[in-house]
Amino acid sequence: MHSSSNSPSPASALPYAGIRVVEFTHMVMGPSCGLMLADLGAEVIKVEPVGHGRMGDATRKLLGSGSGFFPLFNRNKKSLTLDLQTPEGKEAALKLIATADVVTENFKPGTMQKLGLDYESLKAQFPRLIYVSHKGFLPGPYEHRTALDEVVQMMGGLAYMTGRPGDPLRAGTSVNDIMGGMFGAMGAMAALAQREKTGQGQEVQSALFENNVFLIAQHMMQYAVTGKPAAPMPARISAWAIYDVFEVKDGEQIFLAVVSDGAWREFCNAFDLDELHGDPRLGSNNDRVQARSWLMPLLREKMAAYSAAQIAQVFEEKGLPFAPIVRPHDLLDDPHLNATGALAPIQLPDGRESKTVLLPLTLDGKHLEVRLSPPKLGEHSLEILTALGYSQSEAEALAQGQHQ
């Protein structure tokens, strides 16, 4: 079925239409998993806490660097509020799980067990259930530790590789939380495919630390192959002579790469650097790498006469790699993202309109669209609970965390 990027496709056309996911998640990792399944068409019901002094997923109220978590990772989901500390709330959760294909959670080890909602407690009653646990560590010596993205970046070699020598630095986004959620979703997809063959569900586990180790594995294997430890990225010896950020006219910055002898010829011709192209000391890329100590200051001086836009135009015309240095919020106005439909309109929980970022893939040439903006707290509670057989008054009491 074809549609423009502005008119959502019917949910029934999506790959996971008809699959129900119930998530007990917060922060980033668990919600990322649910987001991916939801975008692919699953009905994802987010169970949020109410009562005992709690009012919904705590990320709804985060400030600063956490203020984007809830609106990004909870679109295309429904919100149900329950007090799982009460028998009535837990009973409602079990009734809901009975209708689910997948349950996901990302709480500290033992949390779901205390509630009787862990996989061991559920699998006998619900043999077709797929249960996805997102943790800090897979079972083993570290599993009792509390993990955060920053913790595993430090202990998993990523902060070492990102920072300058002696100055470990976390990556500038929640790489392990988001990718750990992605592996949780991938595990759920694999388990759904296997259930088609066996009729049986299973537990899937994904973890921050092991995810980080997978990200850093190329550097581990570099050591296995060469016997030499990988140097932090800012200190690496580049294989290319010109592969760096240049400060140009008016203090602007631009990343430029000239990585072949043909590209070096094009670059020199474009910027009137004939004397450099003819210099026998710069004949090959390896020669130019050896000459970096005097070549780079000279090139920086030459390029400083041009604006970033002028340089970008030449590099684009010549097919040479370049990149402006872009701040995250600038991407909301990026012409490519807006033209290709990679950004979509969304309503923020406070009612304001914004754009959001869709999953970085297309199916049959189309992005997976926003069908539901991030839900208001408990927005779908009555709809879900009455469908489970509760009366209107029972549903209202459950959704408010009140005892009957």
Side-chain angles (χ1 to χ4, degrees):
M1 181 170 293
H2 294 276
S3 70
S4 76
S5 59
N6 294 324
S7 56
S9 305
S12 59
L14 294 168
Y16 286 104
I19 296 293
R20 174 172 273 192
V21 178
V22 175
E23 68 170 36
F24 301 90
T25 71
H26 64 149
M27 299 302 283
V28 175
M29 192 185 191
S32 292
C33 173
L35 164 73
M36 293 167 200
L37 296 171
D39 278 12
L40 286 162
E43 179 194 27
V44 178
I45 297 171
K46 182 179 184 69
V47 179
E48 299 193 61
V50 68
H52 291 79
R54 292 164 306 161
M55 282 297 289
D57 183 332
T59 60
R60 286 181 176 276
K61 301 182 273 296
L62 286 182
L63 303 175
S65 61
S67 57
F69 290 175
F70 191 86
L72 177 59
F73 299 114
N74 293 286
R75 66 164 176 254
N76 287 338
K77 298 180 185 178
K78 296 177 177 179
S79 171
L80 164 65
T81 49
L82 288 176
D83 185 352
L84 298 176
Q85 310 285 338
T86 65
E88 297 91 344
K90 182 185 165 183
E91 184 187 2
L94 287 169
K95 283 187 178 180
L96 181 62
I97 289 168
T99 70
D101 298 281
V102 180
V103 165
T104 76
E105 63 90 18
N106 71 322
F107 287 96
K108 286 182 184 176
T111 302
M112 297 303 280
Q113 195 173 8
K114 281 179 199 164
L115 294 168
L117 297 175
D118 59 313
Y119 183 62
E120 287 302 312
S121 302
L122 298 174
K123 66 179 182 179
Q125 191 177 350
F126 308 114
R128 287 176 56 81
L129 183 67
I130 291 156
Y131 193 102
V132 186
S133 278
H134 301 86
K135 298 300 181 191
F137 306 89
L138 292 180
Y142 296 160
E143 67 181 304
H144 64 283
R145 295 188 189 177
T146 300
L148 300 167
D149 209 313
E150 199 138 344
V151 166
V152 301
Q153 288 193 39
M154 295 291 172
M155 67 185 291
L158 182 55
Y160 173 85
M161 289 303 298
T162 303
R164 297 183 181 90
D167 184 21
L169 182 67
R170 71 157 284 166
T173 186
S174 306
V175 285
N176 294 296
D177 278 310
I178 296 167
M179 198 167 165
M182 181 174 72
F183 275 112
M186 194 185 301
M189 294 172 191
L192 284 165
Q194 192 162 32
R195 193 180 72 177
E196 288 291 310
K197 301 172 190 171
T198 66
Q200 295 295 304
Q202 61 181 293
E203 185 178 21
V204 173
Q205 295 188 2
S206 172
L208 292 174
F209 178 58
E210 282 78 3
N211 183 82
N212 188 96
V213 172
F214 183 68
L215 284 173
I216 216 74
Q218 61 193 33
H219 303 305
M220 296 163 67
M221 296 312 295
Q222 176 185 335
Y223 178 77
V225 171
T226 67
K228 294 177 183 172
M233 296 299 273
R236 72 194 185 284
I237 298 170
S238 175
W240 317 112
I242 295 97
Y243 199 76
D244 218 330
V245 175
F246 286 74
E247 187 163 315
V248 295
K249 198 172 181 179
D250 299 326
E252 288 186 297
Q253 292 181 308
I254 187 168
F255 173 82
L256 304 176
V258 182
V259 297
S260 71
D261 295 338
W264 172 245
R265 182 177 62 253
E266 292 275 10
F267 172 69
C268 289
N269 287 342
F271 293 98
D272 299 322
L273 302 173
D274 294 342
E275 75 281 6
L276 289 178
H277 185 246
D279 192 321
R281 296 171 297 170
L282 304 173
S284 72
N285 176 72
N286 286 353
D287 290 334
R288 294 188 291 276
V289 170
Q290 298 295 330
R292 273 179 65 94
S293 60
W294 63 265
L295 175 60
M296 287 303 291
L298 189 59
L299 289 178
R300 289 186 191 285
E301 186 182 331
K302 297 279 189 188
M303 301 312 289
Y306 301 93
S307 70
Q310 287 174 310
I311 297 169
Q313 184 178 349
V314 171
F315 266 61
E316 188 149 15
E317 285 170 0
K318 301 290 184 186
L320 300 174
F322 74 97
I325 311 303
V326 170
R327 299 167 298 178
H329 65 270
D330 296 331
L331 292 167
L332 290 166
D333 298 315
D334 182 272
H336 177 84
L337 295 177
N338 281 287
T340 59
L343 302 177
I346 201 166
Q347 187 175 62
L348 299 174
D350 65 7
R352 286 180 297 143
E353 299 294 323
S354 181
K355 295 175 190 171
T356 194
V357 180
L358 300 181
L359 291 188
L361 60 90
T362 61
L363 294 181
D364 198 21
K366 298 181 203 61
H367 284 279
L368 299 163
E369 296 152 332
V370 176
R371 305 188 309 282
L372 297 170
S373 284
K376 295 181 172 63
L377 180 61
E379 182 177 339
H380 305 91
S381 295
L382 300 186
E383 167 199 324
I384 294 163
L385 291 169
T386 53
L388 292 174
Y390 290 98
S391 70
Q392 186 80 8
S393 60
E394 288 170 334
E396 286 172 3
L398 279 167
Q400 292 165 18
Q402 296 172 354
H403 300 277
Q404 285 286 53

